[in-house]
Amino acid sequence: TQTALRRRRELYSYREEQEKYTDYNLSRHKRGASGGGRWPCQRRSLYVKFRDLGWQSWIIAPDGYHAFFCEGECSFPIGNHVNATNHAIVQTLVHMYTPFKAPSPGCAPSKLSAQSVLYFDDDGNVVLKKFPKMIVTSCGCH
Amino acid sequence: AYYVDNGIGQTEKMHEMNSRDKRELQHEILTLLGLHQRPKPKSSTTKDSAPTFMLSLYNSITSDNGVVKDDSTFHTSHNVTVGDSVVQPIEGTDIIISFVNKAKKVPHLRHEKDRTFFFDFSDVTAKETVVGAELRLYKEKSKKWKKNHEFQIQVFMLRQGKDPEDKILDPLSNITVNANTEGWITFNMTRAAELWTRQPEANLGLFIKVLFVSKGREINPNKLGIVSYRGSEDKKPFMVGFFSSQELVYPQR
């Protein structure tokens, strides 16, 4: 009896695990355009507005900046419109055959550029500082 | 709040932040900017001389909305230097800071406020390397002398002498102008900035002398039209430091 109970528990948890993934895929599928569903990996617009954070008294420029972010799928076959590393292409193949072991490649920035900010410090000095790697200029599958 | 575009050319508010979210977002972005907390400057008008200069520099260095034209370092065709053998400090610079003159708060300087300057470099960390520095003085036309009379403006770094009261004048830079010269005059302060960044306690300020060349005697800088602490805010003297810095290291959180 104990063995049977244990076996049933294991089976139940295994099935629960499977359903979890299935749900995830279904929901992603269902969400479609708006939730990162079937869109290929791409750069999306994100504007960070310093002014709305109430920082006008010390940030002189800019009012805000286009930070952008990366979103979308990296799934087989990776179209050549998504700049993917060679390894990412191999990764999609492995993911296709063992989806629960090897993740699909990630959609992440492949090129970044700097943003400069002009601001007052506590002493009333003015600082013009360049912040590297703050703006996504392009995304890709990695 | 968090807005998204709804696909037909409008933006919709997706999520309104509560005050805790907003505070956390501010903290994240301040950390990103390498700041522990938001600065609270006593005066923050951009009409003063230094902010005006820095804003024009910012506009010339960056393309629209502050994006740096080249990811390596600032570079510009902006002629930031007038006169004196100042190195073109913009190339290879990551941070540019203007410094406000605080001589009136320094006991050994405040008795000669027309000739003395103190720029506080104590916030510049050893991680920053001085690429160049300049002192900017505004000179108005002087009606007291003939147009073509020449005057040499000499800038000295104050160094500690043997006893506490003793101060030594270490020549830094000098420029010869005419009585009717008008505008910003730039002096090379790179050596002083390097010393003050390395040894903040060695910063005892600057001292200027104006020499009537043909007569070989000193005159008061005010008489030549050099704007000092009493002048209008948009012509007050200030210093600019150009620094390259190591990659920002974000604190582990």
Side-chain angles (χ1 to χ4, degrees):
Chain A
T1 309
Q2 277 187 357
T3 309
L5 273 177
R6 193 181 58 253
R7 196 167 297 137
R8 196 178 308 143
R9 249 201 321 275
E10 279 170 8
L11 187 64
Y12 179 73
S13 75
Y14 178 73
R15 196 175 295 149
E16 202 185 58
E17 187 73 16
Q18 291 309 306
E19 275 160 13
K20 192 169 70 180
Y21 278 105
T22 320
D23 279 355
Y24 178 72
N25 279 326
L26 260 181
S27 67
R28 279 173 67 195
H29 204 70
K30 225 182 309 156
R31 265 188 284 142
S34 66
R38 285 281 158 217
W39 284 28
C41 171
Q42 61 189 270
R43 188 177 78 151
R44 301 293 301 273
S45 155
L46 170 69
Y47 186 75
V48 176
K49 208 167 179 186
F50 292 140
R51 189 162 288 280
D52 277 359
L53 290 168
W55 286 354
Q56 309 85 300
S57 65
W58 63 281
I59 286 200
I60 303 173
D63 278 345
Y65 76 102
H66 290 281
F68 299 101
F69 68 98
C70 301
E71 186 183 43
E73 288 259 323
C74 289
S75 53
F76 183 83
I78 286 188
N80 54 16
H81 60 284
V82 176
N83 55 358
T85 58
N86 290 339
H87 182 264
I89 293 168
V90 172
Q91 187 78 21
T92 49
L93 281 177
V94 175
H95 171 70
M96 195 166 70
Y97 287 108
T98 55
F100 306 112
K101 275 193 188 158
S104 66
C107 176
S110 47
K111 248 200 258 136
L112 292 156
S113 75
Q115 169 69 41
S116 58
V117 178
L118 186 70
Y119 61 92
F120 283 106
D121 71 7
D122 280 324
D123 292 328
N125 295 326
V126 176
V127 181
L128 170 55
K129 198 180 228 183
K130 176 187 69 69
F131 295 93
K133 299 177 192 154
M134 233 158 92
I135 297 176
V136 175
T137 48
S138 69
C139 299
C141 291
H142 300 266
Chain B
Y2 188 76
Y3 296 86
V4 288
D5 56 13
N6 62 3
I8 48 173
Q10 286 170 332
T11 57
E12 281 179 27
K13 188 182 291 188
M14 190 81 157
H15 168 64
E16 177 87 23
M17 287 183 191
N18 59 31
S19 57
R20 195 173 68 80
D21 284 350
K22 189 174 175 183
R23 235 187 352 267
E24 280 201 21
L25 179 64
Q26 284 173 339
H27 180 67
E28 285 292 332
I29 294 185
L30 280 171
T31 306
L32 207 64
L33 298 174
L35 297 168
H36 296 294
Q37 78 260 341
R38 62 169 285 173
K40 293 188 179 63
K42 294 178 196 53
S43 106
S44 58
T45 162
T46 54
K47 294 199 180 35
D48 291 1
S49 52
T52 304
F53 169 80
M54 293 294 280
L55 190 54
S56 75
L57 196 58
Y58 168 87
N59 290 329
S60 72
I61 283 175
T62 58
S63 60
D64 60 359
N65 218 13
V67 177
V68 179
K69 286 177 190 153
D70 166 2
D71 198 5
S72 54
T73 55
F74 291 131
H75 61 91
T76 173
S77 57
H78 182 82
N79 63 339
V80 290
T81 59
V82 172
D84 202 3
S85 58
V86 174
V87 176
Q88 265 298 332
I90 291 281
E91 305 304 330
T93 302
D94 298 312
I95 302 176
I96 303 171
I97 304 175
S98 71
F99 297 88
V100 179
N101 179 18
K102 297 191 173 170
K104 59 186 175 201
K105 291 180 182 160
V106 180
H108 69 278
L109 295 177
R110 61 169 163 252
H111 302 297
E112 295 213 58
K113 290 195 282 296
D114 283 338
R115 299 168 177 278
T116 56
F117 308 91
F118 182 79
F119 303 102
D120 186 355
F121 266 60
S122 58
D123 280 345
V124 180
T125 66
K127 284 199 212 110
E128 266 99 28
T129 307
V130 175
V131 174
E134 51 193 37
L135 167 69
R136 290 179 152 255
L137 299 179
Y138 191 89
K139 179 190 171 312
E140 290 165 336
K141 277 194 179 136
S142 164
K143 297 188 183 54
K144 186 173 172 53
W145 319 95
K146 279 194 190 129
K147 263 190 252 182
N148 57 356
H149 275 166
E150 285 193 335
F151 298 85
Q152 190 183 64
I153 305 171
Q154 303 166 341
V155 182
F156 300 89
M157 177 167 48
L158 287 170
R159 304 292 290 269
Q160 187 57 53
K162 283 203 182 47
D163 62 45
E165 292 307 312
D166 185 15
K167 298 286 181 296
I168 298 170
L169 292 181
D170 177 357
L172 269 179
S173 172
N174 61 65
I175 289 180
T176 301
V177 296
N178 290 333
N180 68 344
T181 300
E182 185 169 15
W184 286 100
I185 303 173
T186 307
F187 299 82
N188 181 356
M189 293 293 119
T190 306
R191 191 161 61 83
E194 281 166 348
L195 175 66
W196 298 343
T197 304
R198 237 187 9 257
Q199 269 181 278
E201 67 283 3
N203 182 0
L204 299 181
L206 300 173
F207 186 84
I208 66 169
K209 284 184 181 178
V210 176
L211 198 63
F212 190 159
V213 174
S214 58
K215 300 265 194 275
R217 61 182 172 77
E218 263 193 62
I219 66 166
N220 188 311
N222 255 343
K223 295 271 188 313
L224 185 59
I226 291 179
V227 177
S228 68
Y229 74 103
R230 279 179 291 189
S232 65
E233 291 299 332
D234 62 335
K235 292 177 183 165
K236 277 190 178 173
F238 61 94
M239 205 172 148
V240 185
F242 301 84
F243 306 87
S244 68
S245 75
Q246 295 156 22
E247 187 83 16
L248 266 182
V249 177
Y250 297 105
Q252 291 295 321
R253 286 182 297 123

